[in-house]
Amino acid sequence: MLNIVVTLGLARRIGRGGGLAPTLPGGPQLSSSPGTAIGRFEATGTRGERVTRDALEFGTVVAFLSAGCEPCHEVLPDYLSYASANTGKVVSVLSGEHEAEVIAALEAAGPVILEEPNGPTARAFGVVGVPVFVTVGVGDVAATDTRIRPESRLDVRA
């Protein structure tokens, strides 16, 4: 009986946000843990940029956001401020229909990848919920967080 309850709860959470469960305060880890290798992937940004695991610089923040996710909408203004202050050190992975103005603002800061929920980039990072911000190490996850602020400096090991 417990297995059925847990399975139904997980199915309900995964069903929200177009296949990715939104973050709840104090909720679970929504991507691979720090130290976990990032899987191989290849994606093309909205401006034709080629994005791969090996091309990501140490300290780059990769943001995973979904248009159908209320917590994503709540963190978007802070992320836009962070991205504009850290041009070249952010990659935005968006699922769903985002406003053209949001995409344009993010394109000015770095590559924007549009993909379906649980797409290849999300799978490479072990993303299971949004919003999540992943700081890249040397081929691995250095840090993750569910929030970001303009002044954020995610804890990245040297």
Side-chain angles (χ1 to χ4, degrees):
M1 185 66 162
L2 179 61
N3 285 342
I4 293 171
V5 171
V6 170
T7 301
L8 289 174
L10 286 173
R12 181 181 302 151
R13 291 189 76 182
I14 290 171
R16 287 185 273 159
L20 296 176
T23 302
L24 300 174
Q29 177 96 13
L30 298 179
S31 73
S32 296
S33 299
T36 304
I38 298 168
R40 292 200 178 278
F41 72 94
E42 184 171 332
T44 303
T46 54
R47 292 188 170 175
E49 314 94 326
R50 184 171 171 260
V51 183
T52 66
R53 177 191 71 182
D54 297 334
L56 293 174
E57 292 182 33
F58 179 84
T60 297
V61 171
V62 182
F64 294 88
L65 303 166
S66 175
C69 161
E70 186 58 36
C72 295
H73 291 286
E74 291 171 11
V75 300
L76 188 58
D78 287 338
Y79 177 57
L80 287 168
S81 294
Y82 179 89
S84 67
N86 291 280
T87 299
K89 294 294 270 185
V90 295
V91 174
S92 304
V93 182
L94 309 177
S95 63
E97 296 292 323
H98 289 267
E99 296 176 10
E101 297 81 19
V102 170
I103 293 173
L106 292 173
E107 285 174 335
V112 175
I113 299 167
L114 302 177
E115 66 180 31
E116 294 297 316
N118 299 316
T121 309
R123 287 192 308 271
F125 282 84
V127 172
V128 295
V130 292
V132 67
F133 303 92
V134 180
T135 304
V136 175
V138 180
D140 66 358
V141 172
T144 66
D145 205 333
T146 57
R147 300 176 331 281
I148 197 160
R149 292 185 174 75
E151 69 278 3
S152 288
R153 294 292 177 256
L154 298 179
D155 183 24
V156 179
R157 69 181 188 277

